[in-house]
């Protein structure tokens, strides 16, 4: 293996006009955080037990799972070691973020760990919905990995519509026990991560029956497997749901109950309670259970979307500097493919996107923490806005991420189709986020309800919250002459969002006034409602990007580059939804060439800094896990090295020749 | 397994307003063709040797390959049996289309057969570029499978730019032999299907050197492996390139030569020749070698795009009728998800798309045959137009297909992410077509050159060929008032395409007139050029759909449904590129609601016939290979049945518990 850095990449790095480390530190939240992150990465990524001899793509489904369990056990054992070491400077939150998001963990178990739901949902649910006593009993055992749990809500026939879940949990006051039952095939629990063979406990969501009455969905802790033998407990049927597009070592499982009894105290009773005699005591506030759900959506935007879009951009950018193909001018020699305008247009928006969603995620995370602390004081005022923004940001960012990863893959031509590029796995991980934890269309329509209500409030001259305040003001900038300053483009996004929301509001009210039911009127406008919500989300992301640029203190050189990226994403999104901007904003038909020119100008300006930008994302080769994206640019050497890891390449002649091919060839003589 | 048909699907089939068999026959090209197709499917799909006990997704990479070889040998042995049987009514072309396109073959070897390049490229290249003597010698052996060949053009460092290939083939007049050599790592042949371990011959494209001069790329037949031992021939290094997003049993390989000698007569000499003494005789016409390349692109549109989009639409439509989720009205019970407008908008365009590209592919296929027969007479006149349409249709249709398959997958929620839905595999097969046989952006820019030239011809008042004749006429309909008739929308598509092409033409000429080189001016406008080409392609597809409706003889009931689908695709594409239509067509801002309303109206009209439409595609369950798409709609039963095929589910406790999990749990006590 060559150890020198590819000459083209060296030249790219010399051209960079800003301090790469300055941007790295800014993205990490400070130089100390960069240092801590790198220490943490060193600790986990230097362990030889966590490296694969044969890449997981060559293994059977079963082997992949077994390796994932082996490595997960080492990984989470090391968490304790790290926390007890002198070097330990990262918070637990940082460690779990690295191990379960798109960074360290994804380098070690590309296909997902079967333990993730234990940390991301099992423990948080007990903490959020258990009494203090229940938390004391279960959380300690869970955090020290004496038990491994999952969260079982979705059923084979039921996902989005939680009220439709069929699993029942009936209280038997004589025994002071609950009886769990799966009355139908469609009531089988289906999807929980780790449920197949890895977990021995679960929080199970089921329809609570007591004293002959149904009180709806409640959470129960259920033991699934014997702690000694690991056999399923009596009355429990359990297995994995089978192979998937990706995440094949997360061991998603199914689960059915045949009259399984659990103690009364296994109902999580922080909110609602069932007393010994079977009396049901209602929850004080239903909204308190939103916590975990919102948390997971926030984490998807912050840790998965940003991480996978960054990685895709790094790989495609570096590869496009090393790859030379065709001649821009006859006889001039083959060009770096990053010099083609069409190639820049596939890749640079991904660089900008990863920053845009990073800033949006920071807002979301801060707001989440603020709202959560307010919740504990009983103040629910900001919850609807947080919920609305978490829904639409999760939906729009995951859809954009899947497209960005795909575009970057396609920008790498055939080599991007190889698993050793890491694109196929990154796509599988990214696209999964479009569906899990709230299907995207469903989430957009949840935000639409908030926007509809906010629009109504605006008409009633009520005060609007931060993210929808433009509903009161967006029309004022409509008459201004167009220019391509950030302020003008920012206003145009709110004009589009405001108009689209208002149009839906008027249309639906008109239908209702003409005699249609509210539900029918809503349902006949859901395409437009999802599009209005998307416009709202994009306006928020653009505004947050611009606001961030206004408030941070960075060098002039870096600020210039970040501003170019911000302009790029503005132009890109305007051109993508040009019809909206022509209809609803102050952009006129003869202004369009100025937007297209700015777009092309941004691509040209970003070109010399492209490698510097992706270098600043500071993703180690182990985490990139891509032959095409390696820091030293020795792409072709890596490709052949990776090919030779294929078990098929260990023998010059495959056994199928003797068994099938030779008889076949001879039979035709 | 329940044998009754799901009640919701039964009701859907009762609602259908047209004769499903009539549409099936129309799509097959007649009732006889339907009958023949079904017979052929029966013959291949009823063979128990071709069924999998364990789905291929659970196997290791190596096992998948070995199964693929086994099944391929049986499959192509059966071709002979079929051809000799009484029932044999299909042409060879039909059989190979079924085995290598998206139908019968995809049911038996989902992941692709390693023999496909043998039939699709090795044999056609010898037929197209070999002398009669060479054809006589090689094609017979190849067709009777005494040898298995591949086509080796692409190299590790070279794809699009064929002139940049590095493999050399130097003539040695003393020995009357050529010497093949791979001078660098980047010159390794890379990607040819079947090359890894399956083929023993290849057509190798290499730089021809004779008498000290290089004459560019020429084709040579090279023996790769010994026919008896299957060991690589001396001087030949060979292996597979490793695992990929999909097509993991096609055995794509790499190949390097260390001064490998082949007889002079192994150069395919129909066009250029090297005489015994090393004299080079030039080809009469270079364009004659375009044949295979265009053929493959035509076949991609006809056999892969249409087939995979249809399958995706069938699966998503049937599943959405069986799946019930949420309530359209509170208390009304859960609705079939196909009743949601947003769901219809994800799926129905795929139904329309599969027809739209079917009709475009029919034009392409007819034109290909016409042009080929003209070529044999030395008439090259229609070749540029065929080449241009094959390029842009391949590019736009494959990109649309990948998006359509993805949308249909996402429309099936989490279950669409399961491999047993068949979506992941269908996506992998579809998305591969975006890159292979001409990278899509490169192809769009090839068509752009034709359009640019045609635009120039229009300005010079020259007569334009069929597909670009609108460049002379598109402006005339611009002043007409908008309506949503097909004719008006059809015109609008040509207005958009014509304007975008003309804009590029003017911009580039302006830059050239102001002193920029032609190449630089072209390169600075490639984003706009690809978009103009896409607009041209869509205008062609819409026009072909409308023309087809005008010329076919079908019942009024069927015609009504097909017209709704045609209108749907028009509205859908207009809304998607609304900015273009507002800028360049007679659509005005206040006409937009009429297009949106028609779109929603089309969705409503298609809804009751959706199942009938996808049933008419007449894709057998074995070919659909989807738990979600089964004809009888017993979706949930299939999902659990498929899960239980997982080898992980054969033991209640996985071995990783004893080896890793138990020690880990205990260590934390």
């Amino acid at each position: 293996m060559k150890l020198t850095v590819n000459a083209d990449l060296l030249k790219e790095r010399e051209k960079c006009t800003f301090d790469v480390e300055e941007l790295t530190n800014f993205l990490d939240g400070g130089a100390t955080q960069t240092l801590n992150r790198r220490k943490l990465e060193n600790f986990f990524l230097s362990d030889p037990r966590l490296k694969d001899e044969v890449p997981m793509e060559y293994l059977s489904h079963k082997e992949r799972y077994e390796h994932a369990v082996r490595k997960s056990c080492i990984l989470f054992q090391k968490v304790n070691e790290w926390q007890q070491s002198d070097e330990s400077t990262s918070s637990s939150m940082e460690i779990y973020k690295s191990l379960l998001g798109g960074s360290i963990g994804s380098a070690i178990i590309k296909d997902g760990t079967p333990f993730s739901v234990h940390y991301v949902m099992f423990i948080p649910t007990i903490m959020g919905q258990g009494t203090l006593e229940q938390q004391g009993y279960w959380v300690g055992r869970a955090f020290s990995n004496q038990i491994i749990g999952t969260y079982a809500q979705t059923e084979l026939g039921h996902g989005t519509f939680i009220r439709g879940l069929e699993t029942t949990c009936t209280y038997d006051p004589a025994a002071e026990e609950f009886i769990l039952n799966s009355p139908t095939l469609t009531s089988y629990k289906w999807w929980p991560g780790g449920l197949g063979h890895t977990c021995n406990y679960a929080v199970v969501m089921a329809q609570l029956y007591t004293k002959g009455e149904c009180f709806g969905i409640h959470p129960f802790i259920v033991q699934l497997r014997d702690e000694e033998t690991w056999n399923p407990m009596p009355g429990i049927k359990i297995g994995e749901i089978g192979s998937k597009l990706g995440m094949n070592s997360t061991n998603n499982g199914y689960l059915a109950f045949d009259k399984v009894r659990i103690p009364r105290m296994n109902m999580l009773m922080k909110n609602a309670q069932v007393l010994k005699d079977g009396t049901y005591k209602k929850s004080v506030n239903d909204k308190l259970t939103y916590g975990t759900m919102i948390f997971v959506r926030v984490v998807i935007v912050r840790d998965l979307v940003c991480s996978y879009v960054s990685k895709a951009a790094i790989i495609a950018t570096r590869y496009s500097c090393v790859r030379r193909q065709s001649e821009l001018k006859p006889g001039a020699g083959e060009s770096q493919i990053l010099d083609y305008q069409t190639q820049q247009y596939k890749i640079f928006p991904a660089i900008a996107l990863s920053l845009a969603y990073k800033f949006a995620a920071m807002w979301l995370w801060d707001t989440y923490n603020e709202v959560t602390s307010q919740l504990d004081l009983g103040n629910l005022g900001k919850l609807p806005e947080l919920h609305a923004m978490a829904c639409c940001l999760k939906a729009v960012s995951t859809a954009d991420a899947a497209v960005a990863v795909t575009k970057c893959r396609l920008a790498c031509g055939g080599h991007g189709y190889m698993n050793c590029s890491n694109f196929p796995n990154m796509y599988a991980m990214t696209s999964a986020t479009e569906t899990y934890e709230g299907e995207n269309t469903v989430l957009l329509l949840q935000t639409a309800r908030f926007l509809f209500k906010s629009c109504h409030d605006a008409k009633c001259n009520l005060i609007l919250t931060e993210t929808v305040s433009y509903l009161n003001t967006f029309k004022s900038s409509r008459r201004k002459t167009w220019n391509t300053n950030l302020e003008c483009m920012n206003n145009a996004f709110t004009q589009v969002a405001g108009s689209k929301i208002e149009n839906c509001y008027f249309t639906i009210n008109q239908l209702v006034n003409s005699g249609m039911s509210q539900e029918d009127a809503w349902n006949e406008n859901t395409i437009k409602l999802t599009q209005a919500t998307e416009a709202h989300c994009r306006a928020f992301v653009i505004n947050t990007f611009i606001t961030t640029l206004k408030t941070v203190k960075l060098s002039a050189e870096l600020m210039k580059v970040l501003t170019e990226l911000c302009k790029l994403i503005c132009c890109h999104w305007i051109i993508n939804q040009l019809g909206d901007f022509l209809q609803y904003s102050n952009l006129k038909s003869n202004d369009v060439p100025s937007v297209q020119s700015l777009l092309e100008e941004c691509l040209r300006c970003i070109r010399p800094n492209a490698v510097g930008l992706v270098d600043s994302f500071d993703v180690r080769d182990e985490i990139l896990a891509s032959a095409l994206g390696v820091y030293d640019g020795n792409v072709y050497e890596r490709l052949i090295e990776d090919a030779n890891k294929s078990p098929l390449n260990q023998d010059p002649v495959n056994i199928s020749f003797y068994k099938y091919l030779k008889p076949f060839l001879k039979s035709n003589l």
Side-chain angles (χ1 to χ4, degrees), chain A:
Chain A
M1 177 62 57
K2 252 195 319 195
L3 288 172
T4 53
V5 175
N6 173 283
D8 282 324
L9 271 186
L10 272 180
K11 259 183 256 161
E12 296 291 338
R13 289 181 178 130
E14 280 163 16
K15 275 193 298 195
C16 182
T17 62
F18 67 94
D19 178 5
V20 167
E21 188 73 8
E22 185 190 358
L23 181 49
T24 304
N25 293 339
F26 170 56
L27 295 174
D28 277 323
T32 316
Q33 280 84 340
T34 300
L35 196 72
N36 291 344
R37 177 177 54 74
R38 287 176 183 160
K39 273 191 205 160
L40 194 71
E41 287 170 1
N42 262 331
F43 177 73
F44 281 99
L45 297 175
S46 59
D47 192 326
R49 296 172 300 169
L50 296 175
K51 295 189 202 299
D52 292 332
E53 273 174 64
V54 177
M56 64 106 180
E57 288 87 358
Y58 295 105
L59 306 181
S60 73
H61 183 76
K62 198 173 171 192
E63 288 168 333
R64 285 189 197 196
Y65 169 68
E66 289 159 4
H67 277 278
V69 173
R70 181 181 67 78
K71 289 192 282 186
S72 297
C73 291
I74 297 171
L75 204 59
F76 291 96
Q77 201 99 57
K78 281 178 83 78
V79 173
N80 292 339
E81 284 173 43
W82 174 254
Q83 285 172 327
Q84 284 152 21
S85 77
D86 284 350
E87 288 202 293
S88 165
T89 40
S90 319
S91 69
S92 289
M93 180 56 94
E94 284 302 314
I95 299 175
Y96 287 112
K97 176 181 156 181
S98 297
L99 297 187
L100 302 169
S103 64
I104 297 175
S106 76
I108 292 166
I109 312 172
K110 271 171 85 174
D111 224 9
T113 161
F115 289 10
S116 60
V117 177
H118 175 71
Y119 294 101
V120 180
M121 301 198 71
F122 181 70
I123 295 175
T125 303
I126 297 174
M127 289 175 75
Q129 304 195 44
T131 60
L132 281 180
E133 195 190 351
Q134 288 176 318
Q135 291 182 37
Y137 182 73
W138 294 107
V139 173
R141 297 183 76 202
F143 250 126
S144 59
N145 301 115
Q146 293 167 42
I147 62 172
I148 306 279
T150 186
Y151 178 89
Q153 176 173 304
T154 301
E155 297 174 353
L156 186 49
H158 311 275
T160 293
F161 189 62
I162 301 175
R163 276 182 290 151
L165 294 175
E166 294 179 81
T167 304
T168 58
C169 189
T170 310
Y171 187 62
D172 170 8
E176 290 185 28
E177 286 174 337
F178 288 106
I179 307 159
L180 283 149
N181 202 42
S182 307
T184 60
L185 179 60
T186 46
S187 77
Y188 277 40
K189 293 294 175 188
W190 194 270
W191 277 113
L195 172 62
H197 303 83
T198 319
C199 295
N200 61 343
Y201 277 83
V203 169
V204 174
M205 302 301 286
Q207 300 282 2
L208 167 64
Y209 285 85
T210 180
K211 295 187 165 181
E213 199 179 336
C214 179
F215 292 93
I217 295 301
H218 289 76
F220 303 88
I221 296 190
V222 185
Q223 182 174 355
L224 305 177
R225 289 177 179 272
D226 181 273
E227 292 187 27
E228 284 303 316
T229 66
W230 221 243
N231 278 319
M233 300 297 282
I236 283 182
K237 198 196 280 184
I238 203 165
E240 73 138 353
I241 62 170
S243 78
K244 293 152 291 171
L245 172 57
M247 308 186 77
N248 276 302
S249 44
T250 53
N251 198 225
N252 302 74
Y254 69 78
L255 170 65
F257 303 101
D258 181 15
K259 306 197 182 70
V260 172
R261 287 181 168 265
I262 56 169
R264 182 179 68 92
M265 283 313 298
N266 279 22
M267 173 171 165
L268 291 176
M269 298 214 205
K270 180 176 170 188
N271 302 314
Q273 291 165 34
V274 170
L275 305 184
K276 276 188 188 176
D277 68 345
T279 305
Y280 179 76
K281 281 188 66 180
K282 227 187 131 183
S283 168
V284 181
N285 197 316
D286 272 349
K287 289 195 178 151
L288 289 173
T289 61
Y290 268 79
T292 319
M293 222 161 66
I294 296 181
F295 170 74
V296 179
R297 287 169 196 163
V298 173
V299 161
I300 288 172
V301 183
R302 193 194 58 172
D303 301 343
L304 296 176
V305 165
C306 294
S307 159
Y308 283 107
V309 173
S310 307
K311 288 199 236 182
I314 300 171
I315 298 168
T317 301
R318 289 189 185 150
Y319 175 70
S320 300
C321 290
V322 173
R323 178 77 171 181
R324 289 177 170 271
Q325 200 74 187
S326 301
E327 299 175 330
L328 276 163
K329 288 186 189 181
E334 292 194 74
S335 303
Q336 291 172 290
I337 58 175
L338 199 61
D339 285 335
Y340 294 97
Q341 194 188 43
T342 46
Q343 186 76 353
Q344 293 166 8
Y345 193 39
K346 290 176 192 172
I347 301 171
F348 295 168
I351 300 178
L353 211 60
S354 79
L355 293 178
Y357 283 122
K358 170 112 198 163
F359 302 142
M362 280 162 59
W363 179 92
L364 202 54
W365 181 241
D366 291 345
T367 307
Y368 171 77
N369 284 319
E370 188 196 328
V371 171
T372 315
S373 61
Q374 288 290 316
L375 275 186
D376 293 341
L377 304 171
N379 183 353
L380 303 176
K382 288 197 80 178
L383 190 60
E385 178 166 58
L386 169 67
H387 178 245
M389 285 316 300
C391 286
C392 72
L393 274 170
K394 185 275 191 186
V396 177
S397 72
T398 56
D400 278 3
V403 170
V405 170
T406 303
K407 279 201 181 171
C408 287
R409 169 172 69 78
L410 292 170
C412 296
H415 295 334
Y417 195 76
M418 305 286 308
N419 279 327
C420 70
S421 74
N422 202 12
F423 279 115
N425 177 63
M426 293 197 302
Y427 176 70
M429 298 301 281
T430 312
S431 186
T433 63
E434 297 184 85
T435 302
Y436 67 58
E437 295 305 318
E439 194 277 326
N440 278 357
T441 304
V442 172
L443 292 189
L444 289 175
L445 290 171
Q446 293 203 8
T447 304
R449 292 203 184 272
F450 173 78
L451 297 176
F452 191 88
K453 193 183 164 301
S454 300
C455 192
H456 183 77
D457 289 350
K459 302 293 157 207
C460 302
N461 291 316
L462 295 175
I463 294 170
L464 300 178
T465 51
E466 177 188 352
T467 61
V468 284
S469 61
Y470 68 85
L471 289 173
N472 267 329
T473 58
F474 72 92
K475 286 177 190 164
S476 64
S477 54
R478 245 194 213 161
R479 276 188 224 113
K480 288 187 186 161
T481 311
W482 179 264
N483 63 57
T484 51
N485 292 340
L486 281 175
E487 198 199 329
C488 175
M489 293 199 280
N490 194 11
N491 283 333
F493 276 92
T494 60
Q495 290 161 31
V496 167
S499 306
K500 293 189 80 132
I501 295 163
E502 209 180 65
N503 281 357
C504 289
Y505 179 78
F506 286 142
T507 309
I508 290 171
N509 282 342
Q510 212 167 17
L511 290 171
V512 170
N513 290 338
S514 70
M516 196 182 271
S517 73
Q518 174 74 30
E519 291 85 11
D520 286 337
W522 181 268
N523 292 326
E524 290 206 357
N525 285 279
T526 46
I527 294 174
K528 289 192 284 260
L529 283 163
T530 55
Q531 291 166 346
T533 304
E534 188 182 323
H536 167 72
C537 184
R538 295 199 188 280
F540 173 83
V541 172
I542 294 294
N543 185 57
T544 308
F545 201 145
I546 293 172
T547 308
T548 305
L549 291 185
K550 274 189 199 151
T551 47
V552 293
K553 284 204 172 59
L554 294 169
S555 68
E557 295 79 19
L558 180 53
M559 197 55 94
K560 182 168 177 296
V561 185
L562 295 183
T563 306
E564 286 159 4
L565 287 168
C566 185
K567 285 186 176 170
L568 174 66
I569 205 81
C570 287
C571 298
H572 178 47
W573 284 1
I574 291 172
I575 298 274
N576 267 356
Q577 291 298 122
L578 193 54
D580 285 345
F581 285 83
L582 287 172
Q583 282 185 92
Y584 304 125
S585 83
N586 57 331
L587 178 81
K588 300 280 166 271
S589 198
N590 52 11
D591 299 320
V592 178
S594 72
V595 182
Q596 180 70 28
S597 294
L598 178 62
L599 175 85
E600 294 167 7
E601 177 66 20
C602 286
L603 297 177
R604 253 192 304 276
C605 291
I606 292 164
R607 170 65 188 88
N609 283 319
V611 169
L613 279 165
V614 299
D615 281 353
S616 78
F617 296 159
D618 197 30
V619 179
R620 282 172 62 129
D621 278 353
E622 294 97 325
I623 296 173
L624 268 186
S626 171
L628 307 184
V630 281
Y631 185 82
D632 68 18
N634 292 316
V635 166
Y636 297 117
E637 290 80 1
R638 288 300 195 305
L639 279 167
I640 189 96
E641 185 187 35
D642 280 345
N644 286 330
K645 288 178 186 163
S646 167
L648 258 178
N649 283 337
Q650 306 318 310
D651 306 308
V653 180
N654 180 264
I655 193 169
S656 62
F657 169 68
Y658 308 106
K659 285 171 79 174
Y660 316 118
L661 209 49
K662 196 169 183 180
F664 174 68
L665 295 166
K666 298 291 174 191
S667 72
N668 297 306
L669 279 178

